[in-house]
C-alpha cells in the first residue's frame, strides 16, 4: 500500500493520541457530538495494550464479562467471550470489532507517533507534529496514551554485545516466537513474566528466570466460559455494571468487609481457602483490612507463602519464590501453573536480589561471576508506568512550559483529567485518577464520558478554553498523597510509586481513594459548573445552558463496602 501523505494545515476540533480502549471510545463519543477528530496511533493497529502485548500467555486478569465496554448494550449482548479470562488475541479481536462496529477506522491514522504537542496562546489551538510529517492543529488535545504503554528496557552493561535475540513482553513480535530447542532467559517476575514463563518453559530447552523481587500470585483457575453464567450476566448486565461501579476497584466480586485481625485463626484459614478457590484478584476481598493493616496483611502473606511451599519441591527455590514484602503491595499477580514450573528439571531460578545482573556477553548474561549461556532473553521488565508515554512527547502549554518540567517532582493533575497551564488538554486515566487501581475499562469510560460532557458544555456556552486553577490542582495532589498513606500500598517500591525506573521521583501516582468516591467527586465538580476550572471566552448569556451529564455515572456509594467517612471510603481492595 502507498504510504499516506502527511496531513498539513488541517484543523480538527480534537486530536486524540492513542487508539487503545481509551482512544477508541473517545473517538466514538467525540464524533457523536459532531466534532471533527483525528486519532494518531503509533502501533500498526488499534487495541493498545492488546496490540503490543502478544507474549505467550497474555490475557486479562479482570474477568472478561467485566473487562469489556459497558457503553453499548448491543455490543455487550452480541460479543461472546470464550474464557473467563480471555486471551490477548481475543481481546484484540474485540477492540477491532468495536472499531468496525462504530466505523472508527477512518479517523485513525496508524503507525504514526505524535512527537510534539504545543499550545498556541494567541490562537487557543494545539499544534501537533507526528513522525510521519503531519502538522495539524486542534482546539482539544486528548491523551489516550495508556498507563502501561512505555516499555522499560533496563540498560544492562554490554547489552549490545549479545548475539542472541532480545524481546520485551510489551513489544512482542507479531509473528510470535518459537523457543523450541532454545536456552532462554527471562528477566523479571511481575505479571507479564508470571503469565509467560509457564508457556515459554513448555517450549524451551532450558529456562533461567532472573528474579530481583519475588511476587505473590493467586491462581486464576481460568476456564472456558460457562454458558449459564454468560446468559445470567447478559440478562442482568446493567445491574452488574452498576454494582461494579459502586466498588472501590470498579469491578464486582464477593467481598468480606470483616477485618482479618478480628477473625480467629481457623476462621481466617477457611476464608482464605474459600477466596483462594475463587482465585485471582478477588482474593483481596477475603478480608476488609488486608491493604490497611500490616498485621492482617501478614496473615494473607503467610497463607500465600504456604501455598508456594506446598507446590515447589526444592525448599531453597521455594524460599526464594516466597515474597517477604506486603501482600498485594505491588500489583497482585494472577497465575496459571507458574510456581509448578520450577519443579521442571530444565527451569531454574537465579536470585539477583543481592547482586544485580553484572553484564551481558555475546552468548548470554553474567551474574555473580557465572556465565549463563542463552539464545534468547525475554525482558519482562515492565513499563515506565503512568507517565512514560507522556514523557516521550514534547508537550508544551502556556508560556512554553513543558510537561516534563512541570512534572519533574512527580505528576500534578486536577482529578487526573487535566493539568494547570495546559488548556484544553485532557488525560484519560491520567495520574491522580484511580486508573490502574480499578478495572481499567470502567476507568476509561468514566473519564471519556466526563471529558466529552465537559467539551459539550464548552461548546454550548461558546467557551475557548478550560484549565484547572492552581489551588484546586494543589489541593487534589495533596489529597491524592494523603489518601495514599492510608494504604499499605504506599510503603513498598512498586511501579505505582515509580520505583522501577531509576531516577523517577517517588510519588504514589494513582488515586487510591476508591472508584466510586472518585466518580462522585468528578460529578460534584461538574454539577457545580466545573468547580476548580477556569473557563475562558464564554458568551455573555444570562441563562447558562444545562450541564450535560452522562447519567450512568451517578454512583451510589455501597454502604456494605464503605463506611460514610472519607477514610473508610478508601477501604476495600483496589486492583
Ligand atoms: P493503551 O491500551 O496502552 O493504549 C495506548 C495507545 O497509545 C497505545 O496503542 C500506544 O501505541 C499509543 N501511543 C502512546 N504514545 C503515543 C504517541 N506518542 N503517538 C501515538 N500513539 C501513542 N487492565 C485491567 O483493568 N484488567 C486487565 O486484566 C489488564 N491486563 C493487562 C495486561 C497487560 C499485559 C498489560 C500491559 C496491561 C493490562 N491492563 C489491564 C491495563 C491496560 O493497559 C488497560 O486495561 C487498557 O487496555 C488501557 O487502555 P488505554 O487505551 O488507556 O491504553
Ligand atoms: P512489572 O510488574 O513492573 O514487573 C517487572 C519485573 O521486572 C519485576 O519483577 C522487576 O523486579 C523486574 N525488573 C525491572 N527492572 C529490572 C532490572 N533492572 N533488573 C532485574 N529485574 C528488573 O511489569 P509487568 O509484569 O509487565 O506488569 C506491569 C503491569 O501490567 C502489571 O502490574 C499489571 O497491572 C499489568 N499486567 C497485567 C497482566 C494480567 O495478568 N492481566 C499481565 C501483565 C501485565 P522488581 O520487582 O524488583 O522491580
Amino acid at each position: 500500500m502507498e504510504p499516506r501523505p502527511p496531513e498539513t494545515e488541517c484543523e480538527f476540533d480534537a486530536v486524540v493520541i492513542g487508539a487503545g480502549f481509551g482512544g477508541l471510545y473517545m473517538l466514538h463519543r467525540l464524533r457523536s457530538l459532531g466534532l471533527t477528530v483525528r486519532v494518531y496511533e503509533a502501533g500498526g493497529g488499534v487495541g493498545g495494550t492488546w496490540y503490543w502485548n502478544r507474549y505467550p500467555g497474555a490475557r486479562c486478569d479482570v474477568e472478561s464479562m467485566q473487562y469489556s465496554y459497558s457503553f453499548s448494550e448491543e455490543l455487550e449482548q452480541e460479543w461472546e467471550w470464550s474464557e473467563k479470562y480471555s486471551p490477548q488475541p481475543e481481546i484484540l479481536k474485540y477492540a477491532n470489532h468495536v472499531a468496525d462496529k462504530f466505523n472508527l477506522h477512518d479517523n485513525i491514522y496508524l503507525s504514526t507517533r505524535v512527537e510534539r504537542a504545543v499550545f498556541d496562546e494567541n490562537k487557543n489551538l494545539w499544534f501537533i507534529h507526528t513522525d510521519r510529517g503531519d502538522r495539524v492543529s486542534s482546539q482539544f488535545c486528548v491523551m489516550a496514551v495508556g498507563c502501561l504503554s512505555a516499555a522499560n528496557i533496563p540498560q544492562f552493561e554490554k547489552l549490545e554485545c549479545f548475539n542472541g535475540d532480545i524481546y520485551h513482553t510489551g513489544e512482542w513480535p507479531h509473528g510470535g516466537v518459537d523457543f523450541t530447542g532454545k536456552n532462554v532467559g527471562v528477566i523479571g517476575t511481575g505479571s507479564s513474566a508470571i503469565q509467560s514463563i509457564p508457556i515459554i518453559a513448555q517450549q524451551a530447552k532450558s529456562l533461567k528466570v532472573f528474579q530481583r523481587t519475588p511476587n505473590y500470585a493467586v491462581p486464576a483457575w481460568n476456564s472456558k466460559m460457562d454458558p449459564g453464567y454468560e446468559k445470567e450476566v447478559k440478562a442482568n448486565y446493567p445491574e452488574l455494571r452498576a454494582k461494579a461501579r459502586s466498588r472501590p476497584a470498579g469491578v464486582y466480586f464477593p467481598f468480606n468487609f470483616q477485618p482479618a485481625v478480628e477473625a480467629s485463626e481457623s476462621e481466617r484459614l477457611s476464608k482464605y481457602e474459600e477466596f483462594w478457590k475463587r482465585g485471582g484478584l478477588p482474593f483481596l476481598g477475603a478480608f476488609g483490612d488486608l491493604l490497611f493493616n500490616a498485621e492482617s496483611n501478614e496473615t494473607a502473606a503467610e497463607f500465600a507463602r504456604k501455598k508456594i511451599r506446598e507446590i515447589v519441591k526444592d525448599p531453597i527455590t521455594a524460599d526464594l519464590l516466597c515474597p517477604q514484602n506486603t501482600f498485594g503491595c505491588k500489583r497482585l499477580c494472577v497465575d496459571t501453573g507458574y510456581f509448578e514450573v520450577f519443579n521442571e528439571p530444565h527451569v531454574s531460578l537465579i536470585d539477583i536480589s543481592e547482586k544485580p545482573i553484572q553484564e551481558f556477553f555475546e552468548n548470554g548474561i553474567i551474574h555473580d561471576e557465572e556465565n549463563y549461556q542463552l539464545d534468547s532473553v525475554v525482558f519482562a521488565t515492565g513499563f515506565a508506568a503512568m507517565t512514560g508515554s507522556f514523557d516521550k512527547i514534547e508537550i508544551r502549554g502556556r508560556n512554553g512550559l513543558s510537561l516534563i518540567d512541570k512534572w519533574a517532582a512527580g505528576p500534578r493533575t486536577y482529578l487526573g483529567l487535566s493539568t494547570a497551564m495546559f488548556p484544553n488538554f485532557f488525560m484519560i486515566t491520567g495520574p491522580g485518577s484511580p486508573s490502574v487501581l480499578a478495572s481499567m475499562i470502567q476507568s476509561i469510560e468514566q473519564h471519556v464520558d466526563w471529558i466529552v460532557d465537559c467539551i459539550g458544555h464548552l461548546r454550548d456556552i461558546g467557551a475557548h478554553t478550560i484549565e484547572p486553577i492552581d489551588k484546586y490542582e494543589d489541593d487534589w495532589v495533596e489529597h491524592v498523597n494523603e489518601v495514599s498513606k492510608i494504604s499499605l500500598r504506599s510503603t513498598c517500591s512498586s511501579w505505582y510509586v515509580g520505583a522501577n525506573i531509576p531516577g523517577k521521583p517517588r510519588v504514589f501516582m494513582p488515586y487510591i481513594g476508591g472508584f466510586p468516591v472518585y466518580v462522585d467527586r468528578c460529578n460534584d465538580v461538574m454539577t457545580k459548573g466545573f468547580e476548580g476550572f477556569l473557563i475562558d471566552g464564554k458568551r455573555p448569556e444570562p441563562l447558562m445552558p444545562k450541564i450535560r451529564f452522562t447519567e450512568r455515572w451517578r454512583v451510589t456509594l455501597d454502604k456494605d463496602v464503605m463506611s460514610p467517612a472519607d477514610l473508610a471510603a478508601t477501604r476495600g481492595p483496589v486492583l
Side-chain angles (χ1 to χ4, degrees):
M1 219 166 71
E2 283 286 298
R4 67 167 179 85
E7 52 186 359
T8 50
E9 312 203 357
C10 295
E11 186 176 325
F12 298 99
D13 293 320
V15 161
V16 177
I17 310 176
F21 284 130
L24 290 177
Y25 183 46
M26 192 61 172
L27 169 59
H28 173 61
R29 288 278 346 247
L30 286 174
R31 262 199 346 205
S32 64
L33 265 191
L35 268 61
T36 56
V37 188
R38 169 66 69 232
V39 179
Y40 293 114
E41 166 54 58
V46 303
T49 290
W50 306 102
Y51 171 86
W52 294 104
N53 289 264
R54 296 168 187 243
Y55 60 84
R59 59 180 69 247
C60 54
D61 60 5
V62 167
E63 64 169 85
S64 293
M65 294 306 289
Q66 297 197 56
Y67 187 67
S68 49
Y69 285 122
S70 64
F71 71 87
S72 159
E73 196 190 332
E74 197 177 287
L75 175 65
E76 279 182 334
Q77 294 297 329
E78 76 192 4
W79 187 262
E80 288 173 5
W81 295 107
S82 67
E83 296 179 42
K84 181 178 174 193
Y85 299 108
S86 291
Q88 170 271 333
E90 192 169 316
I91 305 174
L92 182 59
K93 203 166 149 200
Y94 173 75
N96 277 286
H97 172 75
V98 170
D100 292 340
K101 183 177 174 72
F102 298 99
N103 295 316
L104 302 178
H105 292 290
D106 287 351
N107 296 69
I108 304 173
Y109 277 179
L110 298 171
S111 306
T112 307
R113 183 170 285 280
V114 171
E115 294 181 326
R116 217 168 165 239
V118 176
F119 185 69
D120 182 321
E121 293 186 63
N122 297 317
K123 298 189 170 121
N124 281 333
L125 287 176
W126 282 92
F127 282 81
I128 288 154
H129 294 191
T130 76
D131 63 353
R132 296 277 296 260
D134 305 295
R135 303 282 180 268
V136 304
S137 60
S138 67
Q139 186 184 4
F140 300 103
C141 178
V142 182
M143 303 295 285
V145 292
C147 295
L148 297 160
S149 54
N152 168 37
I153 304 182
Q155 289 310 298
F156 295 108
E157 293 287 322
K158 301 198 183 159
L159 182 56
E160 67 288 354
C161 300
F162 182 52
N163 286 334
D165 300 313
I166 291 181
Y167 307 100
H168 188 284
T169 50
E171 294 178 346
W172 203 257
H174 286 198
V177 181
D178 183 5
F179 291 110
T180 308
K182 305 251 179 182
N183 297 306
V184 184
V186 174
I187 305 176
T189 47
S191 297
S192 302
I194 283 177
Q195 283 190 330
S196 57
I197 281 170
I199 309 207
I200 296 174
Q202 283 170 17
Q203 294 178 353
K205 184 169 148 201
S206 75
L207 176 60
K208 304 266 179 296
V209 177
F210 294 86
Q211 174 186 272
R212 188 164 69 180
T213 317
N215 260 310
Y216 296 100
V218 180
W221 311 124
N222 189 28
S223 56
K224 291 278 164 233
M225 180 61 70
D226 171 353
Y229 176 65
E230 184 185 5
K231 199 167 159 210
E232 191 193 319
V233 168
K234 286 190 173 178
N236 300 289
Y237 239 142
E239 289 79 7
L240 175 66
R241 300 292 195 184
K243 280 201 292 193
R245 278 178 212 128
S246 73
R247 289 304 180 90
V251 53
Y252 179 74
F253 51 78
F255 176 68
N256 172 28
F257 197 55
Q258 181 194 14
V261 274
E262 286 177 15
S264 70
E265 196 174 340
S266 66
E267 273 173 334
R268 264 201 308 268
L269 279 182
S270 97
K271 255 312 160 225
Y272 285 142
E273 285 295 352
E274 180 191 332
F275 276 72
W276 195 263
K277 283 197 187 94
R278 288 203 177 117
L281 301 173
F283 181 79
L284 283 167
F287 288 102
D289 59 348
L290 293 184
L291 292 172
F292 304 97
N293 180 321
E295 197 187 330
S296 297
N297 187 283
E298 179 53 25
T299 63
E302 192 43 39
F303 179 84
R305 288 183 210 117
K306 196 164 154 274
K307 292 284 180 193
I308 297 172
R309 291 195 187 101
E310 279 168 14
I311 296 169
V312 181
K313 293 188 185 126
D314 171 41
I316 297 174
T317 308
D319 262 1
L320 286 174
L321 286 166
C322 283
Q324 297 306 321
N325 55 8
T326 306
F327 183 85
C329 197
K330 291 188 175 207
R331 170 66 149 67
L332 186 61
C333 302
V334 176
D335 85 292
T336 300
Y338 173 64
F339 295 109
E340 288 80 350
V341 109
F342 292 94
N343 293 330
E344 301 278 334
H346 69 301
V347 178
S348 40
L349 186 67
I350 319 295
D351 174 24
I352 58 168
S353 60
E354 302 282 321
K355 295 182 181 161
I357 286 173
Q358 228 166 301
E359 60 186 31
F360 276 66
F361 71 111
E362 56 192 24
N363 295 324
I365 288 178
I366 307 179
H367 172 254
D368 199 12
E369 308 306 331
E370 188 157 343
N371 289 14
Y372 293 94
Q373 305 279 334
L374 302 167
D375 304 306
S376 311
V377 176
V378 174
F379 280 49
T381 45
F383 303 89
M386 309 215 64
T387 55
S389 283
F390 286 82
D391 294 345
K392 288 185 177 178
I393 308 174
E394 182 189 350
I395 301 167
R396 292 190 181 275
R398 291 195 187 281
N399 302 333
L401 176 66
S402 89
L403 191 67
I404 289 196
D405 287 345
K406 174 169 174 182
W407 287 4
R412 301 188 68 77
T413 71
Y414 183 36
L415 300 170
L417 282 161
S418 58
T419 184
M421 295 290 279
F422 294 78
N424 294 352
F425 179 84
F426 293 106
M427 291 167 258
I428 302 177
T429 65
S433 74
S435 58
V436 292
L437 297 177
S439 175
M440 281 207 69
I441 300 185
Q442 285 275 11
S443 290
I444 284 168
E445 288 192 318
Q446 186 261 337
H447 263 194
V448 169
D449 287 340
W450 194 98
I451 294 166
V452 173
D453 286 343
C454 172
I455 290 178
H457 179 68
L458 297 177
R459 296 234 139 187
D460 291 345
I461 62 172
H464 302 144
T465 57
I466 184 166
E467 62 201 290
I469 297 164
D470 282 339
K471 185 192 169 316
Y472 285 82
E473 179 167 299
D474 293 346
D475 288 351
W476 181 251
V477 171
E478 195 184 319
H479 175 61
V480 171
N481 287 337
E482 279 307 307
V483 167
S484 76
K485 290 179 197 152
I486 295 166
S487 165
L488 295 172
R489 279 232 172 98
S490 62
T491 59
C492 71
S493 297
S494 63
W495 58 256
Y496 296 131
V497 298
N500 62 331
I501 304 296
K504 196 165 170 173
R506 190 186 166 105
V507 173
F508 196 87
M509 292 181 284
Y511 177 60
I512 206 166
F515 185 72
V517 176
Y518 171 81
V519 174
D520 202 40
R521 179 70 182 266
C522 290
N523 293 348
D524 199 41
V525 164
M526 179 179 281
T527 49
K528 286 183 177 151
F530 297 92
E531 186 182 45
F533 286 94
L534 186 70
I535 298 180
D536 192 37
K538 53 189 168 212
R539 279 191 294 265
E541 281 178 315
L543 290 175
M544 286 290 265
K546 199 166 174 285
I547 288 173
R548 296 160 185 249
F549 182 79
T550 306
E551 275 301 324
R552 67 194 172 120
W553 297 112
R554 206 177 286 287
V555 286
T556 350
L557 301 184
D558 184 341
K559 296 290 184 308
D560 290 338
V561 182
M562 288 173 235
S563 83
D566 247 3
L567 187 135
T570 67
R571 298 176 76 183
V574 276
L575 302 183

